[in-house]
Amino acid sequence: MEERHIPPLSSSDSHKVSGLLQTQVFIRHGARTPYTSHPCWRHYNILWNNCNVTEFMFASPSRTAEEESMWFFRKLYDGSPNMLGGNCLTGQLISEGYDQEMANGKILREAYFGEGPLKVANSSRWEDLNISKIYFRSDDEQRTLMSGQILVHSLFDIPHREIIDWHTGDYSIDTLYPNAVACPALKKIAAEAFASEGFASGQQTRNVDELEAVLDSALGEGHWSWRYLLDCFMTTACTGRPIPREDQYGSVVLTQQIFDRSIEYMEFVYAYMSLYDGARYSKLSMSNTAYRTRERLWGAIRGDDSALKFVLYAGHDTTLSALLAALLGDKWDGRWPPYAAMLSFELYSPREEDQEHLVRVVYNGIPLVMPGCDTALCNASSVMRLLEFASPGIPAECTTPENLPGQTSDSNHFNTADWILITVFCSLLSAVFGAILYMLVSNSGAA
């Protein structure tokens, strides 16, 4: 985490700006358990039984809760058998992830809070801040909620018990990550990408058939899947747990080279889909999140009274990879965002009033030169153009029939003649039912 410290502006860049108006930060959650009980390899018997990162809760009849509760409840996953065994929830944050997000909070405090002209606020003490200018958001998953809240705990000095608004939504249709339920067209775009000649060529270049044969020998044919392998490898290797290195005969087959090849291939698969057809998948999936990001930048540029100073989004690896692909296009390196990865949008006011506002985008401590920009500190208008794919709601393209999996523009639709026949039939049916109802009412003697 040390190499992820956010560097200050260079001396030359500092002379171009007068202050830091706003910072919007996207993080990936920290290290976690596997997100489901999937097959990883032959004799996979890792017991996830060290989950000491737990939640406290207290019930309140209102969100303001004027009276402090004396009762706090700790949620423990030991009341029934769990999918992973032990006392861990699938996909939950673990102690390594806790430490990662604590480090992220300290990095953000050092970069954006405290004395100095290029800080978003001159203090990190919660009671000194205008809370209406701060916004926290995540989806409704334990690992993202807790990652964001741990970061906030590390970022700010909060000496007293506070009730802090945390914004989330229904996870099943949330758009903070690529969600094929909210945008069914994503499935069709992915299928098109994987059926393309470019994808087949990428597989051939990587000699995937030979790689799969090696993995069959090392992990056990039928005991592993590309669908889960990245999750299996990362949750195991990143927490110091052993990965099988030998086949059933005791021969070493899963060398570091084969491990790295496997990771590189899985990164290629997701990056190819993310960048396919002008990053269509990424732009469509992140359109609503990008819209909110862009509008908050505009609000600060205009000097709106409601403009925010600091925004935190706690999401997933797919959140950051889709944003990077949508913004950088072919300039994105396609690498998988590591646990606790962090992407920051910094908005600066210009030193001269007749000059344009400036934006710097920083990913894991590295300032990015965005497309259309010559340096990392770039005119705001250039960054805004990169966000033109943004949409205030679910884009129409998500649900138009020609973009749904397994459908064409003509399927499940009626032409004009069909609608005329349906209208006539419904009118006749209504007349018949009306006549029957009239006869029944008349025979009953009702008025």
Side-chain angles (χ1 to χ4, degrees), residues 212-235:
E212 289 179 347
V214 173
L215 292 173
D216 279 342
S217 179
L219 306 180
E221 186 175 359
H223 291 276
W224 69 278
S225 167
W226 284 121
R227 181 179 180 183
Y228 305 120
L229 193 58
L230 185 65
D231 190 51
C232 290
F233 277 174
M234 293 296 99
T235 54

